[in-house]
Structure formats: structure tokens, C-alpha cells
Amino acid sequence: MCRVLIVDDEPIAVESVVYMIKKNFDNIDIVGTSRSGKDAIEKSYNLHPDIIIMDINMPGINGLDAMKQIRMVNQNVYFIVITAFDYFDYAVESVALGVEEYLLKPVKEAKFIETLKKVMDQISTKKINLKKNLEQQERLEMIIPILETGFMNSLCMYGDNTKELQNYCDLFGYNKSSGYVMAIEFGQKQSKKIENKIGAGVQGEKMYEEYKKIIRSYCTCIVGPIMLNQIIVYVFDDSMEENFEQKSKSVRLAKNIMDRASKLYPDIFIGIGGFHTSIREAKKSYQEALYALRILSASEEDENNQYQILHIDDNLEKVEYTESDYEHQIEDEIFSKVAEGDEGTIQMSFKQLYTRMCADNKMNFTAVKNRMIGMIIGFGKRWGDILGDYYELLSDIINAYDEDNLYQICKGHISQILHKITFSRQNKVNSIIEKANQYIEDHYKEEISLEDVAKEVNLSSYYFSRFYKEETGINFTDKLSNVRIEKAKELLKDKNLSIKDVCFMVGYMEPNYFSKIFKKVTGYTASDYKRLYG
């Protein structure tokens, strides 16, 4: 049924149109009539007609102005103008408003019927097309999750699936496939550890659709299905920003997602893989994101709840990706635990893995040797600059005479490797802390922020805040205050400088705030200190 509103200030004209419609159409519902432009606007808002038959010359708001206002609200309404004014300007403006037909009074019944049928056919075609589009969209909505699952399967499986991944990107309409992987994990925490994965997965499953909406509201991405207690997200990013800026943007995105998603489920952890320009590198980004999650799961409690996000570039060890079955186990059970720095745990994992290899009927002693060589080369790929020349070790492995001898050789060298890595990592930590402290010393007079120092040492601000506190025992704000107050104590000894002068010279803009911090750090007011030592 088509809904029609008739607008004309002449009653006889309205009656004529009503008569012709009722005589020739049984599928039209005349929902109302109006005698002014103002009334027509109000009724169109309330009655939602499909067609408005409109006169132009009416008292108050004329037909053209009424059509403009109606069109602003209802883009789909069809207008048929019936008027006594054969003005070219009126006709031109009517065409601009999308009027279907401009008829002159007195309109002939045959012409009116022909016009109305044409408009109704257009409405019918439009409704049919809309229905088809909705059906296609509904089918597409059913297919998209299948395609997304297929993409994630190709991403997570071993082997070179680059062509499959690119085909999926093409199906989704993403011409540029550059981006990175974000792994989101739900945990039930005790002391900030990720625990009870099955229970967390059940809770996450209930809210999965809500999580998808949140994630997609922030970025262009493919969201995989929830697997146990994880959601893998491939974020498309075609920006050409520098590494630090790109990393900072990805961490901000993760924080935005976590802030909203944690309202549904509070214990959320997010690992972020490295950015790449080719879909070929997506698997590496995926492994890096999972690696970042493993580091988070091993982390200690963070009172500020900031250490629930980790970008792989904020990890201090280089990470590579290898593929075969035992290589994957070595990656998962040995390499990934190096960041924890617990030699006992790593040696236990190595012993269990080595025992499984030796018990494998498909592997003889030579095959086990080859795997051990692969493991040492894996260490070399990741930490070669730390380990130096390890070819003597490879020679020892090749010349091992039985399984126990091979185990003792590898166990001893793993211990040496871990000590070297720990020592190197501590040097890197010290270097970062020194660089951060030097930046504070050089810029304490300025309005420097946590973000400024984090950028200087190439860490995200979220990670740097926690890292600095953990390594130095003091947070960034207190460190900056201490440096400024130490400088202020020296300056206050100068009798030519006032407290206000000193305040500005050490980077504070407000003397009252300076005095408050000074007393907090030294136990003295600035004036007392100056009187005693100035």
C-alpha cells in the first residue's frame, strides 16, 4: 500500500485529486490532506507519506519552501507538483528538489494517472531492490565470520599461507594489507597473573559480540573468533609514520579498547606484535603478539594497572620466528621464558622437552642432535650479538657420544647463555635508565613529561612508567622532583636569588607549588632553607 499526502489551498483541487485516486487505484492510502505549506511539513513528519502531491502557490510557506524542509528530513519521499503557474523558474527549482513531475492545472485525468503509476513503479522497484540488498547484506553478515575465521586459521597455522591471507584481504576489500596483530586475553587474576583460562574463556564467550563492536569502533580490522580465552585481531594500518609514532598509536589503540572492554570484563591483557608493510610478515607479528602476552602473564602485580598492555618493541630481547613442530616447542618452552630470567624454570622445561625428543620413536640420536643444533642456532639468531662465537658449542654437540652426554653439553651451555643474556639485558636496562636520567638532568628546567622521556628512550609511555619504577624504585614524577629540588637547594644558597627566581629556574611555574614540593622532599620550607644555608 502506497501512502499519499495531498497539499493544496483550494478545496476543489484537493477533492479532484482524491476523486481521481480513489477511482483508479485501490492500492493507495490517502493518509492526509493539507491547505498550507506549514501544515504539510508537520503532517509529513508525522504521517511519513511515500508520495506528496503538492501545489506551489499557497499562503504562508509556499510549496517550494515546504518541499525543501520536507526533503531535509525525508530523502525518500516522491513529489508530484500540480500548479496553475507555468513559470520557468518554478519548474527549474522543482527539478532541483527532485520533483518527479511538474503538472499544470487543470490536470487531465489520464496524465495524472500515468504520472502516479510511474512514481508508484519507481517506489515498488526501489523497495524490491532494498529488499534484495538487505538479503544480500544478511547473507554477507553470515559469511563474514566464516571468512574471518578462515583468515585467522591461515594466520595461526604453520606453513607459508601468504597467498591465502592476501586472498582474504582482497575479499574483505582491503587493498593495502600493512598492519599488525593484537592478541587480547581474558584472565581471572590472582596477583595480576593470567589464570583459570577456561573460566575466563567462558566469560569472554558470553560477551564476544560486544567485544567485537568495541574493537571495530576504534580501527579497521579483522576480528577472529574467541579461542579458549583469546581473541586475535589483525589491525590494518596504511600510515607511513616513524616506528616510535606507529608503536605509540598502536598502544593508545590497545588502551582505548581495554578501557572500554574492561567495563564488561576487568581482567584483560593485550599483546601487540610489530608493524609490517606486507601480509607476508603477518605470522611474525602474530607470534610476537603471543610472545608479548606470555611476558605479561609472567609479570608481577602493577598497582597502577598499566602493565596489562605490552608492545613487542618494548621487550628488551630480540624475537624471531621458526616453524617446525619441535622448533615450535622450543620457541614456546625455552625461548619465550628467557624474559622471565628464571634459569631453574628454563632448565626444567629443557629437560622435559629433551626427554620427549629422546622418547620419540620417529627421532634417532642424530635427529635429536640436529634439533639441539637448531636450538643453539635459534639462540644465536635472537641473541647472536650477546653470545658471540658459538661454533665451538656446535662442534661439541656434533661430537656428543650419547643422549646423556648431549644433554649435559646443552644444559651447561644453556646456563652460560642465560647468564650472558641476563648480563646483557641488565646493561640495556642500565643504559635506558642512564639515558632517561640524563634527559631529566638536561631538561629539568623545561616542562618535560613522561611521554617526552619515554620517546627519548624509544619506549611507550605506558611501559616506561612501569619499567622505570621497577628498575629504580622511584617513579618518574618523584625523580624529576628530586632533581629539581637538588638544583634548587644549590641555587637557594645564592643570596642574590629570591625563592621566586629559583622556582622558575628549576622548571616550576607556580611558586606555591614549588614550596609545597620543596618541603615534601627536604622537610624544610624554601624560606627556612634559604635562611639557614643562604
Side-chain angles (χ1 to χ4, degrees):
M1 187 69 73
C2 190
R3 298 166 64 81
V4 173
L5 174 64
I6 303 168
V7 185
D8 199 309
D9 63 329
E10 297 179 2
I12 191 170
V14 173
E15 292 173 5
S16 174
V17 171
V18 170
Y19 171 77
M20 287 187 287
I21 290 174
K22 289 186 175 180
K23 176 183 175 184
N24 295 281
F25 299 93
D26 56 6
N27 58 342
I28 289 181
D29 179 15
I30 300 173
V31 294
T33 62
S34 294
R35 297 187 61 181
S36 69
K38 179 178 180 296
D39 187 54
I41 293 168
E42 292 175 354
K43 286 187 175 177
S44 68
Y45 291 166
N46 297 323
L47 300 175
H48 308 291
D50 301 305
I51 301 171
I52 298 178
I53 300 170
M54 178 78 75
D55 187 16
I56 289 180
N57 192 26
M58 293 182 293
I61 299 175
N62 65 33
L64 292 173
D65 290 336
M67 285 190 288
K68 287 178 185 177
Q69 292 195 42
I70 293 169
R71 179 68 78 196
M72 288 172 63
V73 177
N74 187 348
Q75 294 290 325
N76 298 316
V77 68
Y78 289 79
F79 291 113
I80 298 173
V81 168
I82 300 179
T83 181
F85 292 89
D86 188 12
Y87 293 156
F88 178 74
D89 290 345
Y90 281 0
V92 169
E93 194 165 354
S94 296
V95 170
L97 289 168
V99 169
E100 297 302 318
E101 196 71 51
Y102 190 91
L103 304 176
L104 293 176
K105 294 179 180 179
V107 64
K108 294 183 179 179
E109 184 175 344
K111 179 64 175 175
F112 176 74
I113 293 169
E114 178 189 346
T115 299
L116 200 51
K117 282 183 177 180
K118 182 182 74 172
V119 173
M120 290 177 67
D121 287 343
Q122 291 176 5
I123 292 173
S124 178
T125 301
K126 188 173 183 179
K127 287 181 177 179
I128 291 171
N129 290 336
L130 178 62
K131 183 180 179 181
K132 287 181 179 178
N133 289 337
L134 290 173
E135 289 174 349
Q136 289 176 352
Q137 185 176 347
E138 188 176 35
R139 285 195 293 270
L140 187 60
E141 290 295 325
M142 294 171 64
I143 293 171
I144 284 177
I146 298 173
L147 295 177
E148 289 180 330
T149 300
F151 177 92
M152 288 300 165
N153 286 339
S154 297
L155 181 67
C156 300
M157 287 191 305
Y158 289 102
D160 184 5
N161 300 318
T162 302
K163 188 174 181 180
E164 287 181 22
L165 290 170
Q166 188 59 61
N167 288 340
Y168 280 116
C169 289
D170 294 340
L171 284 171
F172 286 116
Y174 300 132
N175 296 326
K176 294 185 178 179
S177 55
S178 57
Y180 56 92
V181 173
M182 183 182 293
I184 302 173
E185 184 160 277
F186 308 94
Q188 293 184 349
K189 297 181 296 181
Q190 297 172 3
S191 298
K192 292 286 181 189
K193 301 275 186 176
I194 303 176
E195 300 182 358
N196 193 357
K197 295 187 176 183
I198 295 176
V202 171
Q203 292 296 322
E205 185 76 47
K206 294 177 181 178
M207 304 303 297
Y208 174 66
E209 292 301 324
E210 292 299 320
Y211 293 132
K212 281 178 68 174
K213 290 177 185 177
I214 290 171
I215 295 166
R216 285 176 171 165
S217 71
Y218 284 109
C219 60
T220 301
C221 60
I222 295 176
V223 182
I226 189 164
M227 296 180 287
L228 188 57
N229 68 325
Q230 290 181 354
I231 297 175
I232 305 300
V233 182
Y234 186 84
V235 181
F236 290 93
D237 187 345
D238 59 1
S239 63
M240 301 299 291
E241 296 169 311
E242 294 182 1
N243 288 343
F244 180 83
E245 297 299 333
Q246 201 286 326
K247 179 178 72 175
S248 296
K249 185 170 73 172
S250 65
V251 173
R252 285 196 301 273
L253 170 64
K255 189 174 187 304
N256 288 335
I257 290 172
M258 189 179 73
D259 285 346
R260 283 187 58 189
S262 60
K263 294 176 182 177
L264 303 176
Y265 190 92
D267 301 335
I268 294 175
F269 300 79
I270 301 179
I272 307 169
F275 172 83
H276 58 82
T277 56
S278 169
I279 196 70
R280 187 180 294 107
E281 299 296 320
K283 286 177 176 289
K284 181 177 180 180
S285 185
Y286 166 68
Q287 289 292 330
E288 289 172 338
L290 293 183
Y291 185 85
L293 273 183
R294 285 197 290 270
I295 294 173
L296 286 174
S297 70
S299 67
E300 296 299 325
E301 185 171 0
D302 176 36
E303 62 186 15
N304 295 319
N305 291 336
Q306 291 181 340
Y307 203 52
Q308 291 177 244
I309 298 171
L310 180 64
H311 192 290
I312 191 63
D313 288 351
D314 282 337
N315 177 43
L316 298 181
E317 286 87 28
K318 181 183 176 187
V319 180
E320 295 289 341
Y321 168 49
T322 55
E323 287 193 2
S324 74
D325 192 14
Y326 276 116
E327 285 175 349
H328 174 57
Q329 293 183 49
I330 290 170
E331 172 76 43
D332 218 41
E333 299 181 29
I334 308 297
F335 297 150
S336 67
K337 294 181 179 178
V338 170
E340 301 173 27
D342 185 349
E343 183 180 347
T345 300
I346 295 171
Q347 290 287 11
M348 178 66 72
S349 296
F350 170 67
K351 183 177 182 180
Q352 293 172 350
L353 176 59
Y354 186 84
T355 302
R356 287 200 299 272
M357 287 183 185
C358 293
D360 191 336
N361 293 328
K362 299 189 293 296
M363 295 186 67
N364 56 26
F365 185 45
T366 300
V368 175
K369 279 187 180 182
N370 289 337
R371 291 301 176 191
M372 293 299 96
I373 291 171
M375 181 181 70
I376 299 305
I377 291 174
F379 272 112
K381 284 181 178 179
R382 292 158 177 77
W383 298 282
D385 56 331
I386 299 171
L387 305 184
D389 185 357
Y390 52 88
Y391 292 102
E392 183 180 344
L393 166 58
L394 297 180
S395 177
D396 289 345
I397 292 174
I398 292 170
N399 294 322
Y401 49 84
D402 63 20
E403 291 177 355
D404 184 64
N405 177 235
L406 178 60
Y407 171 74
Q408 294 300 331
I409 290 170
C410 292
K411 177 184 176 183
H413 281 285
I414 286 175
S415 180
Q416 293 178 26
I417 287 168
L418 291 175
H419 290 160
K420 288 180 179 180
I421 290 173
T422 301
F423 181 76
S424 175
R425 183 185 185 280
Q426 190 57 50
N427 284 342
K428 289 180 182 179
V429 168
N430 293 340
S431 175
I432 291 171
I433 297 300
E434 287 174 9
K435 192 172 182 181
N437 288 343
Q438 190 60 53
Y439 185 88
I440 293 170
E441 288 282 345
D442 293 342
H443 298 271
Y444 71 89
K445 297 177 183 179
E446 306 166 16
E447 292 187 36
I448 61 173
S449 65
L450 175 70
E451 288 73 19
D452 295 328
V453 184
K455 186 171 184 179
E456 177 69 14
V457 298
N458 196 29
L459 294 176
S460 68
S461 58
Y462 306 108
Y463 181 77
F464 175 73
S465 175
R466 192 261 181 192
F467 169 84
Y468 191 87
K469 174 69 178 293
E470 183 180 84
E471 297 297 334
T472 67
I474 185 173
N475 62 39
F476 162 76
T477 303
D478 289 341
K479 173 63 178 178
L480 178 58
S481 296
N482 289 345
V483 170
R484 285 173 167 171
I485 297 306
E486 285 302 313
K487 301 295 182 183
K489 285 164 67 176
E490 292 300 316
L491 292 170
L492 285 171
K493 295 176 183 179
D494 188 337
K495 296 180 179 180
N496 296 319
L497 295 175
S498 68
I499 293 174
K500 189 174 183 181
D501 292 333
V502 173
C503 165
F504 296 142
M505 291 173 70
V506 297
Y508 290 105
M509 297 296 105
E510 175 54 52
N512 289 335
Y513 181 67
F514 164 70
S515 297
K516 180 180 178 182
I517 297 298
F518 191 93
K519 184 171 183 181
K520 178 182 177 183
V521 173
T522 67
Y524 295 95
T525 65
S527 56
D528 287 343
Y529 189 90
K530 187 168 183 62
R531 186 171 59 255
L532 289 170
Y533 300 101

